[in-house]
Amino acid sequence: MCGCDAFQPESPSLPVVEAFVMSGQSMPEITLKRTGSIAERYQSDESTALRDAQLQLTMSDRVIPYSVKSPGKYVPVESVIAVPGADLELELQWNNQIILANDQIPGPISLDSVEISISDEPLESLVLESVFIDPTLLDSLGIQALGTGARKELVYIVEAKLYWAEQSQTNNPDDWWIRTQLRPNLDQSRRLFNYFFSPETLQLEDNFPINGKGKRYWSGAYAVSIETKTDPFPGHRLRISLVRSSQTYADFVSGSSNPREREPPTNIRGGRGIFAALAVDTLLINVYQ
């Protein structure tokens, strides 16, 4: 996370908060840093740690005090579980300032099932200036129209379909966001730049379709390259993850991935960074044909 003050290099330092509360788990360690000048390279070490701060979390009506673990690192005085549906408020006192942030803890999320399908045979596709071209679009695009800078690639297409139960344990169930991710563990020789059709999504949970069993679902796909048509499918590990969050985290992720944003959106009033509550489920599977 960047701690640079992108607006006024000579302005006083501001706190930078990094805290992710996981639904159903113990309250987390919180990292506090301070912003630096845009004219200097930012050092993410003890020299930028925020010192002499006092902070506490409030979950609904319960106050959770924090203490210093090491420079810039703060931990709860006692173990407290993040209760789904509870409102959170972070209060930080530093340098005669009060910095605040709020969020709500989402209900837990769990992968109900995963369906994996692999193309029966390798497909011929193109990579044009490091951009992977979907093999299913080649006929409509026209190979000749793509110019001489394209190179051919043989790929297997892997599709993963994820199912999960929708949010039902907190207020405003239509306001929750889901981030889906596929992360195949492929060696460098088999990696393609932009080899995903849809490696992940971030959208309102209510916008995902529902199957006949009342489960939300999403499909993503990626390509695995090979050298010749007789090469077997390269088996590998696939990391699948689901993240449920409020608008706060969705805005932060969207802003962080937008190259036009000089600084990610923040919900820290009086500072920078992110204070968000998440529900996460991750699954590692072996993909083979």
Side-chain angles (χ1 to χ4, degrees):
M1 179 181 299
C2 177
C4 298
D5 187 345
F7 300 101
Q8 297 181 4
E10 303 305 323
S11 64
S13 292
L14 293 174
V16 180
V17 178
E18 183 176 345
F20 296 99
V21 177
M22 298 298 175
S23 180
Q25 299 183 25
S26 297
M27 289 298 174
E29 177 178 287
I30 296 177
T31 300
L32 299 180
K33 294 185 177 294
R34 56 178 177 80
T35 56
S37 171
I38 196 173
E40 300 177 357
R41 182 172 181 176
Y42 190 78
Q43 302 294 329
S44 184
D45 53 27
E46 288 192 5
S47 67
T48 55
L50 195 71
R51 301 171 187 268
D52 302 322
Q54 295 180 331
L55 68 85
Q56 67 179 24
L57 272 178
T58 301
M59 181 175 64
S60 296
D61 295 327
R62 181 174 182 179
V63 175
I64 306 168
Y66 270 66
S67 62
V68 178
K69 175 185 176 183
S70 60
K73 304 291 185 181
Y74 295 75
V75 293
V77 174
E78 58 180 317
S79 179
V80 178
I81 300 299
V83 179
D87 292 321
L88 291 174
E89 181 178 77
L90 174 69
E91 180 177 317
L92 168 64
Q93 298 183 33
W94 176 74
N95 197 23
N96 296 320
Q97 304 174 59
I98 295 180
I99 295 89
L100 299 172
N102 299 83
D103 205 5
Q104 186 183 28
I105 303 173
I109 193 166
S110 178
L111 282 160
D112 179 78
S113 58
V114 177
E115 296 176 357
I116 300 293
S117 60
I118 305 169
S119 55
D120 294 332
E121 297 178 351
L123 305 176
E124 187 173 89
S125 186
L126 295 179
V127 175
L128 179 63
E129 296 181 352
S130 298
V131 177
F132 179 71
I133 309 297
D134 185 338
T136 63
L137 299 179
L138 290 183
D139 291 340
S140 60
L141 290 174
I143 293 179
Q144 298 302 322
L146 294 176
T148 58
R151 72 177 189 272
K152 293 182 179 180
E153 291 279 358
L154 288 171
V155 297
Y156 282 95
I157 305 301
V158 180
E159 181 179 9
K161 196 169 188 178
L162 320 182
Y163 297 86
W164 70 94
E166 65 179 324
Q167 172 76 298
S168 61
Q169 298 187 23
T170 62
N171 299 327
N172 305 318
D174 296 338
D175 294 341
W176 298 99
W177 290 75
I178 294 291
R179 185 184 190 186
T180 61
Q181 292 182 312
L182 302 178
R183 290 289 182 267
N185 184 12
L186 300 169
D187 62 59
Q188 293 298 321
S189 65
R190 301 193 187 280
R191 289 186 180 274
L192 296 174
F193 292 102
N194 299 330
Y195 57 84
F196 289 107
F197 304 129
S198 51
E200 66 178 65
T201 59
L202 177 63
Q203 65 185 49
L204 283 168
E205 186 164 11
D206 197 46
N207 291 339
F208 287 91
I210 301 178
N211 67 5
K213 297 181 180 180
K215 304 295 183 182
R216 297 282 181 183
Y217 64 91
W218 168 82
S219 294
Y222 59 94
V224 181
S225 66
I226 57 173
E227 294 294 329
T228 69
K229 287 188 175 181
T230 58
D231 286 352
F233 174 78
H236 58 273
R237 296 272 278 175
L238 173 63
R239 182 178 182 270
I240 299 169
S241 62
L242 287 175
V243 180
R244 176 180 284 140
S245 72
S246 70
Q247 182 82 47
T248 293
Y249 179 73
D251 288 343
F252 180 77
V253 169
S254 298
S256 299
S257 60
N258 185 349
R260 291 175 294 182
E261 291 282 350
R262 297 189 66 183
E263 187 164 337
T266 180
N267 67 326
I268 310 298
R269 301 192 295 279
R272 302 281 188 265
I274 180 68
F275 170 69
L278 312 174
V280 180
D281 192 25
T282 300
L283 180 65
L284 284 173
I285 61 174
N286 293 314
V287 179
Y288 54 90
Q289 199 171 41

